[in-house]
Amino acid sequence: MLPLVNDTQNIYIEITNLRHGGLGWELGTCLWSPKFDSSSKKAWKLMEQVKINDIILHLVKLNNHYHFYGVSKVCTKIIETRESPPLPDKWENMIPYQRINLTNFNKIPKPFPVSEIFNIYETRLRNIKNDNIEGQFYNLYQNQLRVSQRYFAICPPELYQIFDEITNFIDFTPIIKDDYYDNVPTLHEPQNPDYTPPSRVQTVVTRIIRDTKLSRNIKSEHNWKCQVCGKSILLPNGFNYSEGHHLKPLGGEHQGPDISGNIIIVCPYHHTEFDYGSIAINPITNLIEHIDPHNVFHHQQLAYTRTDVDEEFIKYHYEKRFNQL
């Protein structure tokens, strides 16, 4: 069952692929496009209408066929940026870009083929198309329903009802809630001078530190020391600082769990390297690997090991994140 929407919420459909834009621009974390097309027109002007709390349905191309892949909610207004995604593909060198951040991404365990949606609901979809000429995620080609060659589309209530029926059929109920990171300063993590409450952020953030209560407890148990270099940052108040890194990221398409087995303790420098896939732990040897073979930590042992770190997540990061950008 899809979430109930109120009179102030709209529903939109993103039509995309799994690459989506690369690290920091992953599927389920944001919507994005160039602001202007090659003829200097606002081809994606529809995105300017999107508001905080609107619902997004995601259609993703898998093996050359589109599937109903997941649901998320909008958490920021549209943002203009001159920062290019790592993997812009056909939209390369089209600065400026526009981006809308998302939260509560829920992936459908077994994505539902759009071709089956067309087969099951053909009559209703044709009627919806006749009543809503512009902005649909599908069109008629040689009198057959086809996915439109567009990135972003309106989802009228009648169409949302069809997707709701599909989620009931496949027993999929996404959890959509207000899930913003709440910054709570501590002696080991004092308030950053640049901190702004998440509801007011209007800048592009490509790397989010997911510092949960669990990671704080683990850091305390290990004296805030990085598992790569063994160091921590000494703060002016005399306390130490480090960060918790989720090997399988919490957000986007990864949907990793917030459990001790998925968290390693790192300094900010090595946290960045883990986030960007520059460094990893080899799941076979448990040695550090770096994309730079001359790096001082390449093929070295960890500063210290933890028995509660799960090999499953070390392997996930090594295979899915390491050296992938």
Side-chain angles (χ1 to χ4, degrees):
M1 175 182 291
L2 291 176
L4 296 175
V5 293
N6 57 44
D7 294 339
T8 66
Q9 290 176 288
N10 292 320
I11 306 102
Y12 298 93
I13 297 176
E14 181 190 35
I15 306 163
T16 187
N17 56 60
L18 286 177
R19 285 166 63 86
H20 200 266
L23 185 65
W25 300 68
E26 297 99 334
L27 173 68
T29 64
C30 67
L31 306 169
W32 73 276
S33 75
K35 186 171 183 178
F36 304 102
D37 63 16
S38 56
S39 61
S40 299
K41 294 181 179 179
K42 288 188 174 182
W44 302 275
K45 187 176 177 61
L46 177 62
M47 290 179 62
E48 296 178 4
Q49 300 178 20
V50 178
K51 308 182 303 300
I52 294 174
N53 290 327
D54 284 347
I55 300 296
I56 307 298
L57 307 181
H58 302 270
L59 304 185
V60 175
K61 199 170 192 178
L62 306 173
N63 299 320
N64 293 319
H65 298 283
Y66 282 100
H67 292 69
F68 178 25
Y69 195 84
V71 183
S72 65
K73 188 175 72 169
V74 175
C75 66
T76 67
K77 297 178 181 178
I78 194 166
I79 302 160
E80 181 177 331
T81 177
R82 299 191 66 81
E83 179 178 350
S84 175
L87 301 174
D89 291 340
K90 64 180 180 180
W91 288 341
E92 188 173 9
N93 298 322
M94 294 182 70
I95 295 172
Y97 294 100
Q98 53 189 12
R99 169 181 172 130
I100 299 169
N101 291 340
L102 304 176
T103 186
N104 285 268
F105 177 68
N106 285 245
K107 178 182 176 296
I108 297 174
K110 186 176 180 180
F112 196 82
V114 172
S115 59
E116 291 193 29
I117 299 176
F118 288 160
N119 290 334
I120 297 170
Y121 297 99
E122 181 175 0
T123 300
R124 288 169 63 182
L125 289 170
R126 285 178 180 270
N127 291 336
I128 292 171
K129 182 67 179 174
N130 291 334
D131 294 337
N132 300 270
I133 303 300
E134 299 297 331
Q136 292 297 322
F137 84 89
Y138 62 95
N139 55 27
L140 290 175
Y141 177 74
Q142 296 182 348
N143 205 34
Q144 298 293 316
L145 296 176
R146 294 287 187 271
V147 175
S148 300
Q149 296 298 310
R150 65 170 69 239
Y151 167 66
F152 198 58
I154 295 170
C155 181
E158 301 87 351
L159 183 56
Y160 191 64
Q161 178 62 38
I162 287 177
F163 280 101
D164 184 55
E165 292 175 19
I166 293 167
T167 58
N168 286 330
F169 174 71
I170 62 177
D171 195 24
F172 172 67
T173 302
I175 300 173
I176 303 292
K177 58 184 180 179
D178 291 332
D179 187 24
Y180 303 108
Y181 173 66
D182 186 14
N183 183 279
V184 180
T186 69
L187 289 173
H188 286 277
E189 289 130 353
Q191 191 81 290
N192 187 309
D194 295 330
Y195 173 73
T196 304
S199 61
R200 298 179 185 177
V201 168
Q202 294 298 320
T203 56
V204 174
V205 178
T206 58
R207 176 175 168 267
I208 300 172
I209 298 174
R210 297 294 191 114
D211 199 10
T212 63
K213 180 179 179 181
L214 176 61
S215 73
R216 288 177 173 178
N217 290 340
I218 298 171
K219 288 187 294 183
S220 176
E221 292 172 5
H222 296 277
N223 297 314
W224 291 270
K225 291 183 178 180
C226 174
Q227 290 185 240
V228 175
C229 64
K231 298 179 180 179
S232 63
I233 294 177
L234 180 63
L235 300 175
N237 62 9
F239 287 81
N240 294 93
Y241 175 84
S242 63
E243 296 174 358
H245 171 74
H246 290 83
L247 293 163
K248 185 175 184 180
L250 299 181
E253 63 174 301
H254 307 285
Q255 298 296 294
D258 184 33
I259 59 175
S260 61
N262 190 32
I263 297 173
I264 60 171
I265 305 308
V266 284
C267 63
Y269 182 85
H270 288 119
H271 194 175
T272 302
E273 289 203 314
F274 269 98
D275 274 349
Y276 283 94
S278 299
I279 197 170
I281 302 169
N282 186 303
I284 305 295
T285 65
N286 281 324
L287 297 179
I288 300 165
E289 287 196 18
H290 200 282
I291 58 173
D292 177 6
H294 302 293
N295 184 276
V296 65
F297 295 105
H298 184 59
H299 285 172
Q300 297 299 308
Q301 292 185 344
L302 292 165
Y304 64 93
T305 58
R306 292 178 22 233
T307 58
D308 57 332
V309 178
D310 197 321
E311 182 182 332
E312 171 191 348
F313 302 114
I314 294 175
K315 184 177 180 181
Y316 185 92
H317 180 271
Y318 188 78
E319 294 180 350
K320 303 290 187 181
R321 307 291 289 178
F322 179 53
N323 204 16
Q324 294 296 312
L325 186 61

